[in-house]
Structure formats: C-alpha cells, structure tokens
Amino acid sequence: SQQGEEDPQALSIQEGENATMNCSYKTSINNLQWYRQNSGRGLVHLILIRSNEREKHSGRLRVTLDTSKKSSSLLITASRAADTASYFCATALSNDYKLSFGAGTTVTVRA
Amino acid sequence: DAMVIQNPRYQVTQFGKPVTLSCSQTLNHNVMYWYQQKSSQAPKLLFHYYDKDFNNEADTPDNFQSRRPNTSFCFLDIRSPGLGDAAMYLCATSSLRTGGETQYFGPGTRLLVL
C-alpha cells in the first residue's frame, strides 16, 4: 500500500524561484528517498536521508526529515527549466529494503 | 556506462494476448524489481527477485508472472492482458549485497492494450 503522500500535487514556478514539496508518511522508516521522473521516463534517484538524519544537501537540493511529524520536504533552489519533472518520495520501512512511493508532485518551471 | 535497459520502450498488444517485457542490467546488482505505474500515480511494486528468490507482493494479480534466468536479465510476463493493465512498467535494481539502498531504474516500457 502507498506509504507516502505528497503535497502539493502540482506546482508551477518561474525560473530562478525556489520549489518546495512535502511528503508525509505513516509508519516508522529506515530511510526516505526522493526521485525525479521526467515525462514518460524512468525514475532517477536524487537523495537519500536516513531516519537519524535531519537535513541533507546535494547541489541545489535540500531535504529535511522530521520523524516526529513523519514528514519530509524537498527544496529545489534557483529552479531551471530542466527541473520540470515529477518528484516522488519513497520510504523504506524499518527492517525492510522495499520502497513505497508517494503519488508525486508535478513541478513545472516556466522560462 | 552501467545501466538498466528495458525493451521494448513501447509495446502494443491485444486484449488477452500474452506479452513479455524484458529488463537487463549491467550493474551486477543482486535485486531486480518490477513496478507498474499508471498515469499520474505512484509506482506500485509488483514483485522482486532477491538473487534467485522470487518475492511476490500480496496484491499482485496472478496474471503477472516473472522470470529471472540469470543475474542480468529479468522478464515480466502478462498472461492475459486486460484493458486495466495498460500502464508504464518500470524495472529497477539495487545492490543489497553491498548495502546499497538506492534503486536504479530503467526508462520503462509503456504498454498499450487494444
């Protein structure tokens, strides 16, 4: 069953602006991962944050994790047209390696 | 470059006509996954192979079968496709042998059922 829920479902921003999306989940996790999917393509791994971590950075990406609220956020700074894609959070439950994906946030970056 | 390859990229089949989708990987990962993704929805895990061990998800219909003849290849067989099986099918791999938790995805096969 789907573990994560993402908010918002869709986001439209101007190039250069920041994009923030959120993911909430239901049960204890081992780690939470964010993936990007360009239209009609496979998913690409962006970043992994473990349950004992609170924040991670990778280039223009910043991920936070609040295990007390069972939520995570992904921030993309200084967005570019190439960031237009769907972004999915995926959780790995404690003592498991399988991933459960949220329904995703569709981000459109306008030039 | 090491990668996950899926063939074909687009597959059209007729209602009830068996179809096989293929996935190969050059990453030498020990786990291979098959996901189904319908439009604007989350990828849904159908089953996976951990080495040679097949692991089916409880809600995967019997209509879906899989084979993994060796480390590199994995196949998804849909025995009698229905209109509801039209979707993107994604293959992914991970290397749990080396503690890797990230999954590497192929480009997907879009299945159309007429």
Side-chain angles (χ1 to χ4, degrees):
Chain A
S1 62
Q2 190 172 317
Q3 154 87 318
E5 292 187 2
E6 299 188 51
D7 172 61
Q9 286 186 320
L11 184 58
S12 180
I13 55 173
Q14 201 74 30
E15 204 165 24
E17 293 180 339
N18 296 342
T20 300
M21 59 211 86
N22 304 295
C23 171
S24 60
Y25 56 92
K26 298 171 187 172
T27 57
S28 296
I29 60 170
N30 178 20
N31 66 72
L32 185 145
Q33 303 179 34
W34 286 91
Y35 288 79
R36 183 187 73 227
Q37 184 178 36
N38 290 89
S39 180
R41 306 288 295 182
L43 282 74
V44 175
H45 179 260
L46 295 176
I47 199 164
L48 180 153
I49 187 165
R50 300 192 183 282
S51 59
N52 61 351
E53 297 175 311
R54 292 297 167 258
E55 186 171 316
K56 275 189 99 166
H57 297 256
S58 176
R60 294 184 296 112
L61 305 179
R62 172 177 167 253
V63 169
T64 62
L65 179 64
D66 186 336
T67 52
S68 66
K69 294 181 179 178
K70 293 186 170 59
S71 68
S72 173
S73 68
L74 171 66
L75 167 68
I76 305 172
T77 60
S79 64
R80 305 167 182 169
D83 296 328
T84 294
S86 292
Y87 292 81
F88 293 87
C89 70
T91 52
L93 301 182
S94 299
N95 299 317
D96 200 356
Y97 54 86
K98 295 186 296 184
L99 294 179
S100 178
F101 285 84
T105 294
T106 299
V107 175
T108 302
V109 181
R110 306 186 307 273
Chain B
D1 289 339
M3 57 197 306
V4 181
I5 302 160
Q6 290 188 245
N7 285 305
R9 293 291 315 280
Y10 300 91
Q11 176 74 56
V12 181
T13 190
Q14 292 178 336
F15 183 94
K17 185 175 181 181
V19 66
T20 294
L21 309 182
S22 73
C23 177
S24 64
Q25 53 129 340
T26 60
L27 298 163
N28 199 31
H29 285 174
N30 63 322
V31 188
M32 295 186 77
Y33 309 82
W34 279 105
Y35 291 86
Q36 180 193 63
Q37 185 183 26
K38 296 188 177 180
S39 182
S40 301
Q41 295 186 20
K44 178 180 178 296
L45 183 63
L46 295 173
F47 28 57
H48 72 280
Y49 275 92
Y50 191 124
D51 294 322
K52 295 181 180 180
D53 294 333
F54 177 71
N55 297 271
N56 199 27
E57 293 300 301
D59 55 355
T60 298
D62 292 342
N63 198 25
F64 292 87
Q65 304 285 319
S66 185
R67 297 170 283 134
R68 189 179 186 185
N70 54 52
T71 301
S72 301
F73 284 87
C74 195
F75 299 97
L76 170 62
D77 300 309
I78 308 177
R79 293 193 295 188
S80 181
L83 298 179
D85 297 328
M88 173 77 91
Y89 289 88
L90 297 165
C91 174
T93 71
S94 65
S95 179
L96 294 177
R97 192 188 305 118
T98 57
E101 294 147 302
T102 299
Q103 293 189 14
Y104 295 80
F105 284 80
T109 294
R110 184 167 296 282
L111 178 68
L112 181 63
V113 182
L114 301 178

Coordinates of all heavy atoms in Angstrom, one line a residue, chain A residues 8-48:
Chain A
P8 N 2.4 19.9 -2.7 CA 1.2 19.8 -3.4 C 1.2 18.7 -4.5 O 2.3 18.2 -4.8 CB 1.1 21.2 -4.0 CG 2.5 21.6 -4.2 CD 3.3 21.0 -3.1
Q9 N 0.1 18.5 -5.2 CA 0.1 17.6 -6.3 C 0.8 18.2 -7.5 O 1.4 17.5 -8.3 CB -1.3 17.2 -6.7 CG -2.0 16.3 -5.7 CD -3.4 15.8 -6.2 OE1 -4.1 16.7 -6.8 NE2 -3.7 14.6 -6.1
A10 N 0.7 19.5 -7.6 CA 1.3 20.2 -8.8 C 1.8 21.6 -8.3 O 1.2 22.2 -7.4 CB 0.3 20.3 -9.9
L11 N 2.8 22.0 -9.0 CA 3.5 23.3 -8.6 C 4.0 23.9 -9.9 O 4.7 23.3 -10.7 CB 4.6 22.9 -7.7 CG 5.5 24.0 -7.0 CD1 4.6 24.9 -6.2 CD2 6.5 23.3 -6.1
S12 N 3.7 25.2 -10.0 CA 4.2 25.9 -11.2 C 5.0 27.2 -10.7 O 4.4 28.0 -9.9 CB 3.0 26.4 -12.1 OG 3.5 27.1 -13.2
I13 N 6.2 27.3 -11.1 CA 7.0 28.4 -10.6 C 7.8 29.0 -11.8 O 7.9 28.4 -12.9 CB 8.0 27.9 -9.6 CG1 8.9 26.8 -10.1 CG2 7.3 27.6 -8.3 CD1 10.0 26.4 -9.2
Q14 N 8.3 30.2 -11.6 CA 9.1 30.9 -12.6 C 10.6 30.4 -12.4 O 11.1 30.1 -11.3 CB 9.0 32.4 -12.3 CG 9.4 33.3 -13.5 CD 8.3 33.3 -14.6 OE1 7.1 33.1 -14.3 NE2 8.7 33.5 -15.8
E15 N 11.3 30.4 -13.5 CA 12.7 30.0 -13.5 C 13.4 31.0 -12.5 O 13.2 32.2 -12.5 CB 13.3 30.2 -14.9 CG 14.5 29.4 -15.1 CD 14.9 29.3 -16.6 OE1 14.5 30.2 -17.4 OE2 15.5 28.3 -17.0
G16 N 14.3 30.4 -11.7 CA 15.0 31.1 -10.7 C 14.4 31.1 -9.3 O 15.0 31.4 -8.3
E17 N 13.1 30.8 -9.2 CA 12.4 30.7 -7.9 C 12.8 29.3 -7.3 O 13.3 28.4 -7.9 CB 10.9 30.8 -8.1 CG 10.5 32.2 -8.6 CD 9.0 32.3 -8.7 OE1 8.3 31.3 -8.9 OE2 8.4 33.4 -8.7
N18 N 12.4 29.3 -6.0 CA 12.6 28.0 -5.3 C 11.3 27.2 -5.3 O 10.2 27.7 -5.4 CB 13.0 28.3 -3.8 CG 14.3 29.0 -3.7 OD1 15.1 29.0 -4.6 ND2 14.5 29.6 -2.5
A19 N 11.5 25.9 -5.3 CA 10.3 25.0 -5.3 C 10.4 24.1 -4.0 O 11.4 23.5 -3.7 CB 10.3 24.1 -6.5
T20 N 9.3 24.0 -3.3 CA 9.3 23.2 -2.1 C 8.1 22.2 -2.2 O 7.0 22.6 -2.5 CB 9.1 24.1 -0.8 OG1 10.2 25.0 -0.7 CG2 9.1 23.2 0.4
M21 N 8.4 21.0 -1.9 CA 7.3 20.0 -1.8 C 7.5 19.1 -0.6 O 8.6 19.0 -0.1 CB 7.3 19.1 -3.1 CG 8.6 18.4 -3.4 SD 8.9 18.2 -5.2 CE 9.7 19.7 -5.6
N22 N 6.4 18.6 -0.1 CA 6.4 17.9 1.1 C 5.9 16.5 1.0 O 5.1 16.1 0.0 CB 5.5 18.6 2.1 CG 5.9 20.1 2.3 OD1 6.9 20.4 2.8 ND2 5.0 21.0 1.9
C23 N 6.3 15.6 1.9 CA 6.0 14.2 1.9 C 5.6 13.8 3.3 O 6.4 14.1 4.2 CB 7.1 13.4 1.3 SG 6.9 11.6 1.5
S24 N 4.5 13.2 3.5 CA 4.1 12.7 4.8 C 4.0 11.1 4.7 O 3.6 10.6 3.6 CB 2.8 13.3 5.3 OG 1.8 13.0 4.4
Y25 N 4.3 10.5 5.8 CA 4.3 9.0 5.7 C 3.7 8.5 7.0 O 3.4 9.3 8.0 CB 5.6 8.4 5.5 CG 6.7 8.8 6.5 CD1 6.9 8.1 7.6 CD2 7.5 10.0 6.3 CE1 7.9 8.5 8.5 CE2 8.4 10.3 7.2 CZ 8.7 9.6 8.3 OH 9.6 10.0 9.2
K26 N 3.4 7.2 7.1 CA 2.5 6.7 8.2 C 3.2 5.9 9.3 O 2.9 6.0 10.4 CB 1.4 5.9 7.6 CG 0.5 6.6 6.7 CD -0.5 5.7 5.9 CE -1.3 6.4 4.9 NZ -2.1 5.5 4.0
T27 N 4.3 5.2 8.9 CA 4.9 4.3 9.9 C 6.4 4.6 9.9 O 7.0 5.3 9.1 CB 4.6 2.8 9.5 OG1 5.1 2.6 8.2 CG2 3.2 2.5 9.6
S28 N 7.0 4.0 10.9 CA 8.5 4.2 11.1 C 9.3 3.8 9.9 O 9.0 2.7 9.3 CB 8.9 3.4 12.4 OG 8.3 3.9 13.5
I29 N 10.3 4.5 9.6 CA 11.1 4.3 8.4 C 12.5 4.1 8.7 O 13.0 4.5 9.8 CB 10.9 5.4 7.4 CG1 11.4 6.7 8.0 CG2 9.5 5.5 6.9 CD1 11.5 7.8 6.9
N30 N 13.2 3.4 7.8 CA 14.7 3.2 7.8 C 15.3 4.4 7.1 O 16.3 5.0 7.6 CB 15.0 1.9 7.1 CG 16.5 1.7 7.1 OD1 17.3 2.3 7.9 ND2 17.0 0.9 6.2
N31 N 14.8 4.7 5.9 CA 15.2 5.9 5.2 C 14.1 6.4 4.3 O 13.1 5.8 4.1 CB 16.5 5.6 4.4 CG 16.2 4.6 3.3 OD1 15.6 4.9 2.3 ND2 16.7 3.4 3.4
L32 N 14.3 7.6 3.8 CA 13.4 8.3 2.9 C 14.2 8.7 1.7 O 15.3 9.3 1.9 CB 12.6 9.4 3.6 CG 11.5 10.1 2.7 CD1 10.4 10.5 3.6 CD2 12.0 11.3 1.9
Q33 N 13.7 8.5 0.5 CA 14.4 8.9 -0.7 C 13.6 9.7 -1.6 O 12.3 9.6 -1.6 CB 14.9 7.6 -1.5 CG 15.7 6.6 -0.6 CD 16.1 5.4 -1.4 OE1 16.3 5.4 -2.6 NE2 16.2 4.3 -0.6
W34 N 14.2 10.6 -2.3 CA 13.5 11.4 -3.3 C 14.0 11.0 -4.7 O 15.2 10.8 -4.9 CB 13.7 12.9 -3.1 CG 13.0 13.4 -1.9 CD1 13.4 13.5 -0.6 CD2 11.7 14.0 -1.9 NE1 12.4 14.0 0.2 CE2 11.3 14.3 -0.6 CE3 10.7 14.2 -2.9 CZ2 10.1 14.9 -0.3 CZ3 9.5 14.8 -2.6 CH2 9.2 15.1 -1.2
Y35 N 13.1 10.9 -5.6 CA 13.3 10.5 -7.0 C 12.7 11.5 -8.0 O 11.7 12.1 -7.6 CB 12.8 9.1 -7.4 CG 13.6 8.0 -6.7 CD1 13.4 7.6 -5.4 CD2 14.5 7.2 -7.5 CE1 14.0 6.6 -4.8 CE2 15.2 6.2 -6.9 CZ 14.9 5.9 -5.6 OH 15.6 4.8 -5.0
R36 N 13.3 11.7 -9.1 CA 12.7 12.6 -10.2 C 12.3 11.7 -11.4 O 13.1 10.8 -11.7 CB 13.7 13.6 -10.6 CG 13.2 14.6 -11.6 CD 14.3 15.5 -12.1 NE 15.2 14.9 -13.0 CZ 16.5 14.9 -12.9 NH1 17.1 15.7 -12.0 NH2 17.3 14.3 -13.8
Q37 N 11.2 12.1 -12.0 CA 10.8 11.4 -13.2 C 10.4 12.4 -14.3 O 9.5 13.2 -14.1 CB 9.6 10.5 -12.9 CG 9.2 9.6 -14.1 CD 8.1 8.7 -13.8 OE1 7.2 9.0 -13.1 NE2 8.1 7.5 -14.4
N38 N 11.2 12.4 -15.3 CA 10.8 13.2 -16.5 C 9.7 12.5 -17.2 O 9.6 11.3 -17.2 CB 12.0 13.5 -17.4 CG 13.0 14.4 -16.7 OD1 13.9 14.0 -16.0 ND2 12.9 15.7 -16.9
S39 N 8.9 13.3 -18.0 CA 7.7 12.8 -18.6 C 8.0 11.6 -19.5 O 8.9 11.6 -20.3 CB 7.1 13.9 -19.5 OG 6.0 13.4 -20.1
G40 N 7.3 10.5 -19.2 CA 7.5 9.2 -20.0 C 8.8 8.5 -19.8 O 9.1 7.6 -20.6
R41 N 9.5 8.8 -18.7 CA 10.8 8.2 -18.5 C 10.8 7.4 -17.1 O 9.9 7.4 -16.4 CB 11.9 9.2 -18.5 CG 11.9 10.1 -19.7 CD 12.5 9.4 -20.9 NE 13.8 9.0 -20.8 CZ 14.5 8.4 -21.7 NH1 13.9 8.0 -22.8 NH2 15.8 8.0 -21.5
G42 N 12.0 6.8 -16.9 CA 12.1 6.1 -15.6 C 12.5 7.1 -14.5 O 12.6 8.3 -14.7
L43 N 12.6 6.6 -13.3 CA 12.9 7.4 -12.1 C 14.4 7.5 -11.9 O 15.1 6.6 -12.1 CB 12.2 6.9 -10.9 CG 10.8 7.1 -10.7 CD1 9.9 6.3 -11.6 CD2 10.3 6.9 -9.2
V44 N 14.8 8.7 -11.5 CA 16.2 8.9 -11.2 C 16.4 9.3 -9.7 O 15.7 10.2 -9.2 CB 16.8 10.1 -12.1 CG1 18.2 10.4 -11.6 CG2 16.7 9.7 -13.5
H45 N 17.3 8.6 -9.0 CA 17.5 8.9 -7.6 C 18.1 10.2 -7.4 O 19.1 10.6 -8.1 CB 18.3 7.8 -7.0 CG 18.6 8.0 -5.5 ND1 19.8 8.5 -5.1 CD2 17.9 7.7 -4.4 CE1 19.8 8.6 -3.8 NE2 18.6 8.1 -3.4
L46 N 17.6 11.0 -6.4 CA 18.1 12.3 -6.1 C 18.9 12.3 -4.8 O 20.1 12.8 -4.8 CB 17.0 13.4 -6.1 CG 16.2 13.6 -7.3 CD1 15.1 14.6 -7.1 CD2 17.2 14.2 -8.4
I47 N 18.3 11.8 -3.8 CA 18.9 12.0 -2.5 C 18.3 11.0 -1.5 O 17.1 10.7 -1.6 CB 18.8 13.4 -2.0 CG1 19.8 13.7 -0.9 CG2 17.4 13.8 -1.6 CD1 19.9 15.2 -0.6
L48 N 19.0 10.5 -0.6 CA 18.6 9.6 0.5 C 18.9 10.2 1.8 O 20.0 10.7 2.1 CB 19.2 8.2 0.4 CG 18.9 7.1 1.4 CD1 19.1 5.8 0.7 CD2 19.7 7.2 2.6

